[in-house]
Structures are given as structure tokens and as C-alpha cells.
Amino acid sequence: MTDEADFAAWQKKVEGTNISSTTLLATDYLNHFNEIVMLLEMVPDMPDMIEDCKEWAPKSYQDHFRDSAFSDRELAIEAYDHVPSRFRDPFEETINHLNTIVGHANTQLDAIIADGNEELLRETANAVTKSLQRFMDVASGIIHGSAKTMSQDEIDAALDL
């Protein structure tokens, strides 16, 4: 965990970078989820894309930056250990929801493709990508310092695809 003096020191370290000095988090991590959203959006028109979707795997915040070309990647990796729990906990919970949605979506879409129901495939892919976008919006808000998350009812509705 981090104390306020440590947090303040890290806020100064990240000033002038693409890492939020409010939270010590970087929106570049959301590119990992933008990738799967784009793939899922293509599935109704190109059902074979489901294979690419199934190859996508959750990646931790720090692993994302280890594998990225992000200019401040080392700083982002190190700063993550200093993110206060008031930001880190809701951020990680939101990321877990995103990962869960993707896993369920791949299974669900694969079954719909096997059944050959093009209309249901389009509807489901659309619902999945909208749900992912809602959680990505929440994650982005947290990265920028918002305390606003989704209510349990909103989470349940978004996860009930």
C-alpha cells in the first residue's frame, strides 16, 4: 500500500507524462481492450474473426506496459505499485469485469456462429461491445480520478448478456 507522502512524491514523478498525476494510472492500458472490441465488432461480418477473439487474453496492467512501446512504460510499471487503493481497487474490479465479459462473449459468439443465426450474432456482438465500452468508460474515468463507478444493478445488467 501507499501512504500520502509516497503518493505525493509519485505524483510529481509522473507530471508531464501520459500517466495521470491524479491517480498514477495511464489510459494506454485500455488499448488492450480496444483491440478486442474492434475484433468483436468485426465478427458479425466476418465470423472467422472469432478465432482471433479467442486468442485474445487478459493482461495485467504491468504486463501490458512490459509488452508495449509506451514511452513512459517503465515509469507506468513502477508507479502502479504506488496507486492508492481508492483508485486501484475500483480500477482492478472494473478490469476484472471487462475480462469476464470478453471470456463469456467469446464462448457465446462461438456457439451462435455454430448455430448459424446471423441476426442473433449481430445483436449479441453489438450488446457485448456496448457493455465493454461502458466498463472501459468507467475505467477511463477512474484513471482520470473519478470516484464514479457503476452501481451493482448496472454491473449486473452489463454482465447479463
Side-chain angles (χ1 to χ4, degrees), residues 7-8 12 28-29 55-56 66 79 82 87 89 91 95 100 109 117 126 130 132 146 153:
F7 179 52
K12 292 210 181 305
D28 186 81
Y29 178 61
E55 289 177 12
W56 183 93
R66 281 185 193 97
H82 302 275
F87 301 120
D89 293 348
F91 179 74
I95 297 308
T100 298
L109 293 171
N117 188 334
N126 186 42
K130 281 183 179 180
L132 287 169
S146 172
D153 287 344

Side-chain angles (χ1 to χ4, degrees), residues 40-52:
L40 289 166
E41 287 175 335
M42 289 189 267
V43 168
D45 295 320
M46 298 184 299
D48 289 350
M49 291 300 296
I50 193 66
E51 296 307 318
D52 290 38

